[in-house]
Amino acid sequence: DGGWYGDNPEPYDEGDYYGEVTDAIREDLDYSIAWENYEYEGNNDSVMIAVDYPVILGTIPNLDAINDIIDDEAEYFEKYYEEYSKYMMPDESFMVYSEGYVTYMDDEVMSVVFAEMVYTDYWTDYGLYCLNIDVENGRRGEGKKRLFKTCYFCYQTCRELSACQFLSSAVSFF
């Protein structure tokens, strides 16, 4: 029958560490996942922001509130750029790619991890950001289940990635 994750394979797990961020999308819930892309370009193409993020579909309460929480994260880097642009050199490039993964989902809680990469002419930053959402009440990080395993997953994955430099600001706990 495909098990808990339907026809999708279970998340890759070998030993104590995950080798990469993976989706753990279930097909047996009252909601499902679709994917959208947020893009922002500006300053004569020297600024580009692209975020792939999940959108929740289905018949659950607070659907709009949940999608607003995720959408806010998708738009975060545009606000970040607006602040950073005050300090940029005239021809400096600013590029961001952030990819969202649904790393946990059930009837009560879902967890989205964003793998984020920021490039400028002077620095590069990689990180993971963990967003936990209480599906029942449409609020951020207030679920009955505390998904420390998910945030632990963020920590362990980031620890394994040689490019990760700023873990303390990348992982958000409840």
Side-chain angles (χ1 to χ4, degrees), residues 89-126:
M89 301 301 287
D91 294 329
E92 184 176 350
S93 296
F94 180 85
M95 298 184 188
V96 173
Y97 179 66
S98 179
E99 186 169 4
Y101 295 88
V102 177
T103 59
Y104 183 86
M105 60 190 288
D106 67 20
D107 290 325
E108 298 173 354
V109 180
M110 75 174 297
S111 182
V112 178
V113 173
F114 287 93
E116 304 170 338
M117 295 159 273
V118 181
Y119 305 95
T120 74
D121 293 342
Y122 302 101
W123 56 272
T124 302
D125 188 15
Y126 301 90

PDB file of all heavy atoms in Angstrom, residues 89-126:
ATOM      1  N   MET A  89      27.258  48.247  -2.871  1.00  0.00           N
ATOM      2  CA  MET A  89      28.029  49.026  -3.837  1.00  0.00           C
ATOM      3  C   MET A  89      27.166  49.169  -5.097  1.00  0.00           C
ATOM      4  O   MET A  89      26.299  48.337  -5.350  1.00  0.00           O
ATOM      5  CB  MET A  89      29.350  48.332  -4.157  1.00  0.00           C
ATOM      6  CG  MET A  89      30.235  48.101  -2.935  1.00  0.00           C
ATOM      7  SD  MET A  89      30.690  49.616  -2.077  1.00  0.00           S
ATOM      8  CE  MET A  89      31.849  50.299  -3.224  1.00  0.00           C
ATOM      9  N   PRO A  90      27.394  50.202  -5.918  1.00  0.00           N
ATOM     10  CA  PRO A  90      26.526  50.457  -7.077  1.00  0.00           C
ATOM     11  C   PRO A  90      26.344  49.280  -8.035  1.00  0.00           C
ATOM     12  O   PRO A  90      25.248  49.049  -8.524  1.00  0.00           O
ATOM     13  CB  PRO A  90      27.212  51.631  -7.774  1.00  0.00           C
ATOM     14  CG  PRO A  90      27.990  52.307  -6.708  1.00  0.00           C
ATOM     15  CD  PRO A  90      28.412  51.241  -5.747  1.00  0.00           C
ATOM     16  N   ASP A  91      27.376  48.518  -8.319  1.00  0.00           N
ATOM     17  CA  ASP A  91      27.266  47.411  -9.269  1.00  0.00           C
ATOM     18  C   ASP A  91      27.231  46.035  -8.599  1.00  0.00           C
ATOM     19  O   ASP A  91      27.398  45.015  -9.263  1.00  0.00           O
ATOM     20  CB  ASP A  91      28.433  47.453 -10.260  1.00  0.00           C
ATOM     21  CG  ASP A  91      28.371  48.683 -11.138  1.00  0.00           C
ATOM     22  OD1 ASP A  91      27.249  49.146 -11.420  1.00  0.00           O
ATOM     23  OD2 ASP A  91      29.442  49.180 -11.529  1.00  0.00           O
ATOM     24  N   GLU A  92      27.021  46.007  -7.305  1.00  0.00           N
ATOM     25  CA  GLU A  92      27.045  44.740  -6.562  1.00  0.00           C
ATOM     26  C   GLU A  92      25.846  43.871  -6.912  1.00  0.00           C
ATOM     27  O   GLU A  92      24.729  44.353  -7.068  1.00  0.00           O
ATOM     28  CB  GLU A  92      27.065  45.017  -5.061  1.00  0.00           C
ATOM     29  CG  GLU A  92      27.191  43.762  -4.214  1.00  0.00           C
ATOM     30  CD  GLU A  92      27.298  44.059  -2.727  1.00  0.00           C
ATOM     31  OE1 GLU A  92      27.473  45.229  -2.343  1.00  0.00           O
ATOM     32  OE2 GLU A  92      27.189  43.112  -1.940  1.00  0.00           O
ATOM     33  N   SER A  93      26.064  42.568  -6.987  1.00  0.00           N
ATOM     34  CA  SER A  93      25.000  41.601  -7.229  1.00  0.00           C
ATOM     35  C   SER A  93      24.459  41.071  -5.911  1.00  0.00           C
ATOM     36  O   SER A  93      25.191  40.949  -4.926  1.00  0.00           O
ATOM     37  CB  SER A  93      25.527  40.422  -8.052  1.00  0.00           C
ATOM     38  OG  SER A  93      25.918  40.851  -9.322  1.00  0.00           O
ATOM     39  N   PHE A  94      23.182  40.741  -5.902  1.00  0.00           N
ATOM     40  CA  PHE A  94      22.529  40.132  -4.750  1.00  0.00           C
ATOM     41  C   PHE A  94      21.606  39.051  -5.295  1.00  0.00           C
ATOM     42  O   PHE A  94      20.657  39.349  -6.020  1.00  0.00           O
ATOM     43  CB  PHE A  94      21.719  41.172  -3.975  1.00  0.00           C
ATOM     44  CG  PHE A  94      21.005  40.631  -2.763  1.00  0.00           C
ATOM     45  CD1 PHE A  94      21.665  40.536  -1.547  1.00  0.00           C
ATOM     46  CD2 PHE A  94      19.685  40.208  -2.840  1.00  0.00           C
ATOM     47  CE1 PHE A  94      21.012  40.046  -0.427  1.00  0.00           C
ATOM     48  CE2 PHE A  94      19.039  39.712  -1.725  1.00  0.00           C
ATOM     49  CZ  PHE A  94      19.702  39.632  -0.514  1.00  0.00           C
ATOM     50  N   MET A  95      21.904  37.790  -4.989  1.00  0.00           N
ATOM     51  CA  MET A  95      21.113  36.681  -5.510  1.00  0.00           C
ATOM     52  C   MET A  95      20.778  35.714  -4.395  1.00  0.00           C
ATOM     53  O   MET A  95      21.625  35.393  -3.566  1.00  0.00           O
ATOM     54  CB  MET A  95      21.867  35.979  -6.625  1.00  0.00           C
ATOM     55  CG  MET A  95      22.126  36.897  -7.788  1.00  0.00           C
ATOM     56  SD  MET A  95      22.914  36.049  -9.132  1.00  0.00           S
ATOM     57  CE  MET A  95      23.269  37.453 -10.170  1.00  0.00           C
ATOM     58  N   VAL A  96      19.530  35.263  -4.407  1.00  0.00           N
ATOM     59  CA  VAL A  96      19.039  34.339  -3.388  1.00  0.00           C
ATOM     60  C   VAL A  96      18.287  33.212  -4.068  1.00  0.00           C
ATOM     61  O   VAL A  96      17.501  33.436  -4.994  1.00  0.00           O
ATOM     62  CB  VAL A  96      18.077  35.045  -2.408  1.00  0.00           C
ATOM     63  CG1 VAL A  96      17.444  34.038  -1.448  1.00  0.00           C
ATOM     64  CG2 VAL A  96      18.779  36.140  -1.642  1.00  0.00           C
ATOM     65  N   TYR A  97      18.544  31.997  -3.587  1.00  0.00           N
ATOM     66  CA  TYR A  97      17.693  30.866  -3.949  1.00  0.00           C
ATOM     67  C   TYR A  97      17.340  30.152  -2.658  1.00  0.00           C
ATOM     68  O   TYR A  97      18.214  29.809  -1.865  1.00  0.00           O
ATOM     69  CB  TYR A  97      18.374  29.900  -4.924  1.00  0.00           C
ATOM     70  CG  TYR A  97      17.478  28.733  -5.241  1.00  0.00           C
ATOM     71  CD1 TYR A  97      16.284  28.934  -5.944  1.00  0.00           C
ATOM     72  CD2 TYR A  97      17.768  27.463  -4.798  1.00  0.00           C
ATOM     73  CE1 TYR A  97      15.436  27.880  -6.208  1.00  0.00           C
ATOM     74  CE2 TYR A  97      16.923  26.400  -5.061  1.00  0.00           C
ATOM     75  CZ  TYR A  97      15.759  26.618  -5.770  1.00  0.00           C
ATOM     76  OH  TYR A  97      14.893  25.572  -6.019  1.00  0.00           O
ATOM     77  N   SER A  98      16.058  29.951  -2.446  1.00  0.00           N
ATOM     78  CA  SER A  98      15.580  29.253  -1.249  1.00  0.00           C
ATOM     79  C   SER A  98      14.590  28.193  -1.704  1.00  0.00           C
ATOM     80  O   SER A  98      13.654  28.483  -2.456  1.00  0.00           O
ATOM     81  CB  SER A  98      14.906  30.238  -0.299  1.00  0.00           C
ATOM     82  OG  SER A  98      14.426  29.570   0.846  1.00  0.00           O
ATOM     83  N   GLU A  99      14.804  26.972  -1.235  1.00  0.00           N
ATOM     84  CA  GLU A  99      13.936  25.868  -1.623  1.00  0.00           C
ATOM     85  C   GLU A  99      13.265  25.287  -0.385  1.00  0.00           C
ATOM     86  O   GLU A  99      13.935  24.908   0.571  1.00  0.00           O
ATOM     87  CB  GLU A  99      14.744  24.790  -2.341  1.00  0.00           C
ATOM     88  CG  GLU A  99      13.897  23.687  -2.907  1.00  0.00           C
ATOM     89  CD  GLU A  99      14.690  22.771  -3.829  1.00  0.00           C
ATOM     90  OE1 GLU A  99      15.910  22.931  -3.972  1.00  0.00           O
ATOM     91  OE2 GLU A  99      14.060  21.871  -4.395  1.00  0.00           O
ATOM     92  N   GLY A 100      11.935  25.259  -0.409  1.00  0.00           N
ATOM     93  CA  GLY A 100      11.179  24.721   0.713  1.00  0.00           C
ATOM     94  C   GLY A 100      10.962  23.229   0.585  1.00  0.00           C
ATOM     95  O   GLY A 100      10.749  22.708  -0.515  1.00  0.00           O
ATOM     96  N   TYR A 101      11.027  22.558   1.714  1.00  0.00           N
ATOM     97  CA  TYR A 101      10.766  21.119   1.782  1.00  0.00           C
ATOM     98  C   TYR A 101       9.743  20.881   2.889  1.00  0.00           C
ATOM     99  O   TYR A 101       9.878  21.440   3.981  1.00  0.00           O
ATOM    100  CB  TYR A 101      12.034  20.340   2.139  1.00  0.00           C
ATOM    101  CG  TYR A 101      13.113  20.423   1.096  1.00  0.00           C
ATOM    102  CD1 TYR A 101      14.048  21.453   1.125  1.00  0.00           C
ATOM    103  CD2 TYR A 101      13.205  19.467   0.093  1.00  0.00           C
ATOM    104  CE1 TYR A 101      15.043  21.531   0.170  1.00  0.00           C
ATOM    105  CE2 TYR A 101      14.202  19.540  -0.862  1.00  0.00           C
ATOM    106  CZ  TYR A 101      15.121  20.572  -0.819  1.00  0.00           C
ATOM    107  OH  TYR A 101      16.107  20.650  -1.759  1.00  0.00           O
ATOM    108  N   VAL A 102       8.757  20.059   2.628  1.00  0.00           N
ATOM    109  CA  VAL A 102       7.823  19.652   3.675  1.00  0.00           C
ATOM    110  C   VAL A 102       8.437  18.419   4.319  1.00  0.00           C
ATOM    111  O   VAL A 102       8.413  17.327   3.773  1.00  0.00           O
ATOM    112  CB  VAL A 102       6.424  19.347   3.103  1.00  0.00           C
ATOM    113  CG1 VAL A 102       5.488  18.844   4.199  1.00  0.00           C
ATOM    114  CG2 VAL A 102       5.855  20.581   2.425  1.00  0.00           C
ATOM    115  N   THR A 103       9.022  18.612   5.499  1.00  0.00           N
ATOM    116  CA  THR A 103       9.772  17.539   6.141  1.00  0.00           C
ATOM    117  C   THR A 103       8.940  16.733   7.129  1.00  0.00           C
ATOM    118  O   THR A 103       9.383  15.689   7.603  1.00  0.00           O
ATOM    119  CB  THR A 103      11.008  18.095   6.862  1.00  0.00           C
ATOM    120  OG1 THR A 103      10.591  19.050   7.834  1.00  0.00           O
ATOM    121  CG2 THR A 103      11.960  18.745   5.868  1.00  0.00           C
ATOM    122  N   TYR A 104       7.749  17.236   7.453  1.00  0.00           N
ATOM    123  CA  TYR A 104       6.849  16.498   8.341  1.00  0.00           C
ATOM    124  C   TYR A 104       5.437  17.021   8.121  1.00  0.00           C
ATOM    125  O   TYR A 104       5.241  18.228   7.942  1.00  0.00           O
ATOM    126  CB  TYR A 104       7.242  16.694   9.813  1.00  0.00           C
ATOM    127  CG  TYR A 104       6.369  15.887  10.749  1.00  0.00           C
ATOM    128  CD1 TYR A 104       6.677  14.565  11.027  1.00  0.00           C
ATOM    129  CD2 TYR A 104       5.224  16.434  11.320  1.00  0.00           C
ATOM    130  CE1 TYR A 104       5.863  13.801  11.870  1.00  0.00           C
ATOM    131  CE2 TYR A 104       4.412  15.678  12.156  1.00  0.00           C
ATOM    132  CZ  TYR A 104       4.737  14.364  12.426  1.00  0.00           C
ATOM    133  OH  TYR A 104       3.938  13.619  13.233  1.00  0.00           O
ATOM    134  N   MET A 105       4.455  16.124   8.145  1.00  0.00           N
ATOM    135  CA  MET A 105       3.064  16.557   8.078  1.00  0.00           C
ATOM    136  C   MET A 105       2.164  15.486   8.671  1.00  0.00           C
ATOM    137  O   MET A 105       2.365  14.300   8.465  1.00  0.00           O
ATOM    138  CB  MET A 105       2.661  16.912   6.640  1.00  0.00           C
ATOM    139  CG  MET A 105       2.784  15.801   5.633  1.00  0.00           C
ATOM    140  SD  MET A 105       2.581  16.328   3.895  1.00  0.00           S
ATOM    141  CE  MET A 105       0.859  16.685   3.771  1.00  0.00           C
ATOM    142  N   ASP A 106       1.207  15.937   9.488  1.00  0.00           N
ATOM    143  CA  ASP A 106       0.145  15.071   9.978  1.00  0.00           C
ATOM    144  C   ASP A 106      -1.099  15.931  10.164  1.00  0.00           C
ATOM    145  O   ASP A 106      -1.153  17.060   9.679  1.00  0.00           O
ATOM    146  CB  ASP A 106       0.561  14.304  11.242  1.00  0.00           C
ATOM    147  CG  ASP A 106       0.771  15.162  12.473  1.00  0.00           C
ATOM    148  OD1 ASP A 106       0.268  16.302  12.527  1.00  0.00           O
ATOM    149  OD2 ASP A 106       1.434  14.685  13.416  1.00  0.00           O
ATOM    150  N   ASP A 107      -2.119  15.410  10.844  1.00  0.00           N
ATOM    151  CA  ASP A 107      -3.374  16.146  11.013  1.00  0.00           C
ATOM    152  C   ASP A 107      -3.233  17.363  11.913  1.00  0.00           C
ATOM    153  O   ASP A 107      -4.074  18.260  11.875  1.00  0.00           O
ATOM    154  CB  ASP A 107      -4.461  15.232  11.595  1.00  0.00           C
ATOM    155  CG  ASP A 107      -4.920  14.191  10.591  1.00  0.00           C
ATOM    156  OD1 ASP A 107      -4.963  14.502   9.387  1.00  0.00           O
ATOM    157  OD2 ASP A 107      -5.240  13.060  11.022  1.00  0.00           O
ATOM    158  N   GLU A 108      -2.198  17.406  12.736  1.00  0.00           N
ATOM    159  CA  GLU A 108      -2.046  18.472  13.714  1.00  0.00           C
ATOM    160  C   GLU A 108      -0.931  19.461  13.393  1.00  0.00           C
ATOM    161  O   GLU A 108      -1.044  20.638  13.700  1.00  0.00           O
ATOM    162  CB  GLU A 108      -1.777  17.864  15.092  1.00  0.00           C
ATOM    163  CG  GLU A 108      -2.917  16.993  15.593  1.00  0.00           C
ATOM    164  CD  GLU A 108      -2.555  16.279  16.878  1.00  0.00           C
ATOM    165  OE1 GLU A 108      -1.392  16.370  17.323  1.00  0.00           O
ATOM    166  OE2 GLU A 108      -3.443  15.622  17.440  1.00  0.00           O
ATOM    167  N   VAL A 109       0.168  18.973  12.810  1.00  0.00           N
ATOM    168  CA  VAL A 109       1.360  19.792  12.651  1.00  0.00           C
ATOM    169  C   VAL A 109       2.004  19.528  11.290  1.00  0.00           C
ATOM    170  O   VAL A 109       1.957  18.407  10.794  1.00  0.00           O
ATOM    171  CB  VAL A 109       2.388  19.458  13.759  1.00  0.00           C
ATOM    172  CG1 VAL A 109       3.646  20.296  13.622  1.00  0.00           C
ATOM    173  CG2 VAL A 109       1.782  19.637  15.139  1.00  0.00           C
ATOM    174  N   MET A 110       2.594  20.565  10.729  1.00  0.00           N
ATOM    175  CA  MET A 110       3.457  20.365   9.562  1.00  0.00           C
ATOM    176  C   MET A 110       4.732  21.171   9.761  1.00  0.00           C
ATOM    177  O   MET A 110       4.742  22.170  10.480  1.00  0.00           O
ATOM    178  CB  MET A 110       2.761  20.747   8.263  1.00  0.00           C
ATOM    179  CG  MET A 110       2.618  22.210   8.009  1.00  0.00           C
ATOM    180  SD  MET A 110       1.930  22.574   6.380  1.00  0.00           S
ATOM    181  CE  MET A 110       3.169  21.900   5.335  1.00  0.00           C
ATOM    182  N   SER A 111       5.787  20.712   9.132  1.00  0.00           N
ATOM    183  CA  SER A 111       7.079  21.379   9.240  1.00  0.00           C
ATOM    184  C   SER A 111       7.633  21.602   7.840  1.00  0.00           C
ATOM    185  O   SER A 111       7.634  20.698   7.011  1.00  0.00           O
ATOM    186  CB  SER A 111       8.033  20.515  10.053  1.00  0.00           C
ATOM    187  OG  SER A 111       9.271  21.158  10.202  1.00  0.00           O
ATOM    188  N   VAL A 112       8.071  22.831   7.590  1.00  0.00           N
ATOM    189  CA  VAL A 112       8.678  23.199   6.324  1.00  0.00           C
ATOM    190  C   VAL A 112      10.097  23.671   6.616  1.00  0.00           C
ATOM    191  O   VAL A 112      10.309  24.507   7.494  1.00  0.00           O
ATOM    192  CB  VAL A 112       7.881  24.327   5.621  1.00  0.00           C
ATOM    193  CG1 VAL A 112       8.560  24.729   4.311  1.00  0.00           C
ATOM    194  CG2 VAL A 112       6.439  23.904   5.384  1.00  0.00           C
ATOM    195  N   VAL A 113      11.059  23.129   5.895  1.00  0.00           N
ATOM    196  CA  VAL A 113      12.448  23.549   6.028  1.00  0.00           C
ATOM    197  C   VAL A 113      12.845  24.241   4.731  1.00  0.00           C
ATOM    198  O   VAL A 113      12.662  23.691   3.650  1.00  0.00           O
ATOM    199  CB  VAL A 113      13.384  22.355   6.309  1.00  0.00           C
ATOM    200  CG1 VAL A 113      14.841  22.791   6.280  1.00  0.00           C
ATOM    201  CG2 VAL A 113      13.043  21.722   7.640  1.00  0.00           C
ATOM    202  N   PHE A 114      13.371  25.454   4.870  1.00  0.00           N
ATOM    203  CA  PHE A 114      13.872  26.193   3.716  1.00  0.00           C
ATOM    204  C   PHE A 114      15.396  26.073   3.687  1.00  0.00           C
ATOM    205  O   PHE A 114      16.063  26.443   4.649  1.00  0.00           O
ATOM    206  CB  PHE A 114      13.477  27.672   3.794  1.00  0.00           C
ATOM    207  CG  PHE A 114      12.021  27.914   3.520  1.00  0.00           C
ATOM    208  CD1 PHE A 114      11.106  27.958   4.556  1.00  0.00           C
ATOM    209  CD2 PHE A 114      11.578  28.098   2.220  1.00  0.00           C
ATOM    210  CE1 PHE A 114       9.759  28.183   4.311  1.00  0.00           C
ATOM    211  CE2 PHE A 114      10.233  28.319   1.960  1.00  0.00           C
ATOM    212  CZ  PHE A 114       9.323  28.365   3.007  1.00  0.00           C
ATOM    213  N   ALA A 115      15.929  25.551   2.582  1.00  0.00           N
ATOM    214  CA  ALA A 115      17.372  25.530   2.351  1.00  0.00           C
ATOM    215  C   ALA A 115      17.691  26.811   1.590  1.00  0.00           C
ATOM    216  O   ALA A 115      17.238  26.995   0.458  1.00  0.00           O
ATOM    217  CB  ALA A 115      17.767  24.299   1.554  1.00  0.00           C
ATOM    218  N   GLU A 116      18.449  27.695   2.237  1.00  0.00           N
ATOM    219  CA  GLU A 116      18.643  29.049   1.726  1.00  0.00           C
ATOM    220  C   GLU A 116      20.089  29.286   1.310  1.00  0.00           C
ATOM    221  O   GLU A 116      21.021  28.908   2.033  1.00  0.00           O
ATOM    222  CB  GLU A 116      18.255  30.060   2.801  1.00  0.00           C
ATOM    223  CG  GLU A 116      16.836  29.867   3.285  1.00  0.00           C
ATOM    224  CD  GLU A 116      16.483  30.691   4.506  1.00  0.00           C
ATOM    225  OE1 GLU A 116      17.389  31.106   5.252  1.00  0.00           O
ATOM    226  OE2 GLU A 116      15.287  30.903   4.713  1.00  0.00           O
ATOM    227  N   MET A 117      20.251  29.930   0.151  1.00  0.00           N
ATOM    228  CA  MET A 117      21.572  30.294  -0.352  1.00  0.00           C
ATOM    229  C   MET A 117      21.532  31.761  -0.764  1.00  0.00           C
ATOM    230  O   MET A 117      20.686  32.143  -1.565  1.00  0.00           O
ATOM    231  CB  MET A 117      21.943  29.424  -1.531  1.00  0.00           C
ATOM    232  CG  MET A 117      22.094  27.951  -1.153  1.00  0.00           C
ATOM    233  SD  MET A 117      21.919  26.862  -2.574  1.00  0.00           S
ATOM    234  CE  MET A 117      20.129  26.656  -2.585  1.00  0.00           C
ATOM    235  N   VAL A 118      22.429  32.566  -0.204  1.00  0.00           N
ATOM    236  CA  VAL A 118      22.507  33.993  -0.521  1.00  0.00           C
ATOM    237  C   VAL A 118      23.904  34.278  -1.074  1.00  0.00           C
ATOM    238  O   VAL A 118      24.898  33.895  -0.459  1.00  0.00           O
ATOM    239  CB  VAL A 118      22.267  34.878   0.727  1.00  0.00           C
ATOM    240  CG1 VAL A 118      22.339  36.350   0.363  1.00  0.00           C
ATOM    241  CG2 VAL A 118      20.940  34.536   1.387  1.00  0.00           C
ATOM    242  N   TYR A 119      23.948  34.926  -2.234  1.00  0.00           N
ATOM    243  CA  TYR A 119      25.216  35.253  -2.872  1.00  0.00           C
ATOM    244  C   TYR A 119      25.290  36.757  -3.120  1.00  0.00           C
ATOM    245  O   TYR A 119      24.350  37.344  -3.628  1.00  0.00           O
ATOM    246  CB  TYR A 119      25.344  34.561  -4.233  1.00  0.00           C
ATOM    247  CG  TYR A 119      25.155  33.074  -4.186  1.00  0.00           C
ATOM    248  CD1 TYR A 119      23.915  32.499  -4.444  1.00  0.00           C
ATOM    249  CD2 TYR A 119      26.229  32.236  -3.908  1.00  0.00           C
ATOM    250  CE1 TYR A 119      23.741  31.129  -4.413  1.00  0.00           C
ATOM    251  CE2 TYR A 119      26.061  30.862  -3.873  1.00  0.00           C
ATOM    252  CZ  TYR A 119      24.810  30.313  -4.134  1.00  0.00           C
ATOM    253  OH  TYR A 119      24.637  28.956  -4.095  1.00  0.00           O
ATOM    254  N   THR A 120      26.398  37.364  -2.761  1.00  0.00           N
ATOM    255  CA  THR A 120      26.691  38.746  -3.165  1.00  0.00           C
ATOM    256  C   THR A 120      28.103  38.732  -3.737  1.00  0.00           C
ATOM    257  O   THR A 120      28.773  37.696  -3.733  1.00  0.00           O
ATOM    258  CB  THR A 120      26.621  39.737  -1.980  1.00  0.00           C
ATOM    259  OG1 THR A 120      27.764  39.562  -1.152  1.00  0.00           O
ATOM    260  CG2 THR A 120      25.348  39.572  -1.163  1.00  0.00           C
ATOM    261  N   ASP A 121      28.564  39.871  -4.196  1.00  0.00           N
ATOM    262  CA  ASP A 121      29.932  39.949  -4.705  1.00  0.00           C
ATOM    263  C   ASP A 121      30.968  39.840  -3.595  1.00  0.00           C
ATOM    264  O   ASP A 121      32.140  39.581  -3.863  1.00  0.00           O
ATOM    265  CB  ASP A 121      30.144  41.270  -5.448  1.00  0.00           C
ATOM    266  CG  ASP A 121      29.331  41.342  -6.732  1.00  0.00           C
ATOM    267  OD1 ASP A 121      28.893  40.283  -7.224  1.00  0.00           O
ATOM    268  OD2 ASP A 121      29.113  42.462  -7.222  1.00  0.00           O
ATOM    269  N   TYR A 122      30.518  40.009  -2.333  1.00  0.00           N
ATOM    270  CA  TYR A 122      31.461  40.064  -1.220  1.00  0.00           C
ATOM    271  C   TYR A 122      31.293  38.967  -0.180  1.00  0.00           C
ATOM    272  O   TYR A 122      32.170  38.770   0.649  1.00  0.00           O
ATOM    273  CB  TYR A 122      31.371  41.443  -0.541  1.00  0.00           C
ATOM    274  CG  TYR A 122      31.646  42.552  -1.521  1.00  0.00           C
ATOM    275  CD1 TYR A 122      30.612  43.278  -2.079  1.00  0.00           C
ATOM    276  CD2 TYR A 122      32.950  42.837  -1.912  1.00  0.00           C
ATOM    277  CE1 TYR A 122      30.867  44.288  -3.005  1.00  0.00           C
ATOM    278  CE2 TYR A 122      33.213  43.832  -2.840  1.00  0.00           C
ATOM    279  CZ  TYR A 122      32.163  44.554  -3.379  1.00  0.00           C
ATOM    280  OH  TYR A 122      32.419  45.527  -4.304  1.00  0.00           O
ATOM    281  N   TRP A 123      30.184  38.300  -0.172  1.00  0.00           N
ATOM    282  CA  TRP A 123      29.974  37.229   0.795  1.00  0.00           C
ATOM    283  C   TRP A 123      28.916  36.256   0.279  1.00  0.00           C
ATOM    284  O   TRP A 123      28.123  36.572  -0.598  1.00  0.00           O
ATOM    285  CB  TRP A 123      29.593  37.763   2.169  1.00  0.00           C
ATOM    286  CG  TRP A 123      28.382  38.662   2.189  1.00  0.00           C
ATOM    287  CD1 TRP A 123      28.363  40.012   1.993  1.00  0.00           C
ATOM    288  CD2 TRP A 123      27.023  38.276   2.393  1.00  0.00           C
ATOM    289  NE1 TRP A 123      27.074  40.484   2.067  1.00  0.00           N
ATOM    290  CE2 TRP A 123      26.235  39.445   2.314  1.00  0.00           C
ATOM    291  CE3 TRP A 123      26.390  37.066   2.646  1.00  0.00           C
ATOM    292  CZ2 TRP A 123      24.852  39.432   2.468  1.00  0.00           C
ATOM    293  CZ3 TRP A 123      25.008  37.054   2.795  1.00  0.00           C
ATOM    294  CH2 TRP A 123      24.265  38.227   2.716  1.00  0.00           C
ATOM    295  N   THR A 124      28.947  35.068   0.850  1.00  0.00           N
ATOM    296  CA  THR A 124      28.003  34.011   0.532  1.00  0.00           C
ATOM    297  C   THR A 124      27.534  33.406   1.847  1.00  0.00           C
ATOM    298  O   THR A 124      28.315  33.249   2.776  1.00  0.00           O
ATOM    299  CB  THR A 124      28.680  32.927  -0.332  1.00  0.00           C
ATOM    300  OG1 THR A 124      29.183  33.533  -1.520  1.00  0.00           O
ATOM    301  CG2 THR A 124      27.702  31.830  -0.698  1.00  0.00           C
ATOM    302  N   ASP A 125      26.258  33.052   1.909  1.00  0.00           N
ATOM    303  CA  ASP A 125      25.700  32.473   3.131  1.00  0.00           C
ATOM    304  C   ASP A 125      24.781  31.320   2.750  1.00  0.00           C
ATOM    305  O   ASP A 125      24.019  31.416   1.791  1.00  0.00           O
ATOM    306  CB  ASP A 125      24.912  33.539   3.912  1.00  0.00           C
ATOM    307  CG  ASP A 125      24.472  33.059   5.279  1.00  0.00           C
ATOM    308  OD1 ASP A 125      24.989  32.039   5.768  1.00  0.00           O
ATOM    309  OD2 ASP A 125      23.596  33.716   5.868  1.00  0.00           O
ATOM    310  N   TYR A 126      24.878  30.238   3.501  1.00  0.00           N
ATOM    311  CA  TYR A 126      24.017  29.085   3.332  1.00  0.00           C
ATOM    312  C   TYR A 126      23.380  28.784   4.675  1.00  0.00           C
ATOM    313  O   TYR A 126      24.031  28.925   5.704  1.00  0.00           O
ATOM    314  CB  TYR A 126      24.821  27.844   2.914  1.00  0.00           C
ATOM    315  CG  TYR A 126      25.586  28.004   1.631  1.00  0.00           C
ATOM    316  CD1 TYR A 126      26.892  28.488   1.627  1.00  0.00           C
ATOM    317  CD2 TYR A 126      25.001  27.655   0.423  1.00  0.00           C
ATOM    318  CE1 TYR A 126      27.604  28.625   0.457  1.00  0.00           C
ATOM    319  CE2 TYR A 126      25.695  27.785  -0.753  1.00  0.00           C
ATOM    320  CZ  TYR A 126      27.003  28.269  -0.737  1.00  0.00           C
ATOM    321  OH  TYR A 126      27.698  28.408  -1.900  1.00  0.00           O
TER     322      TYR A 126
END
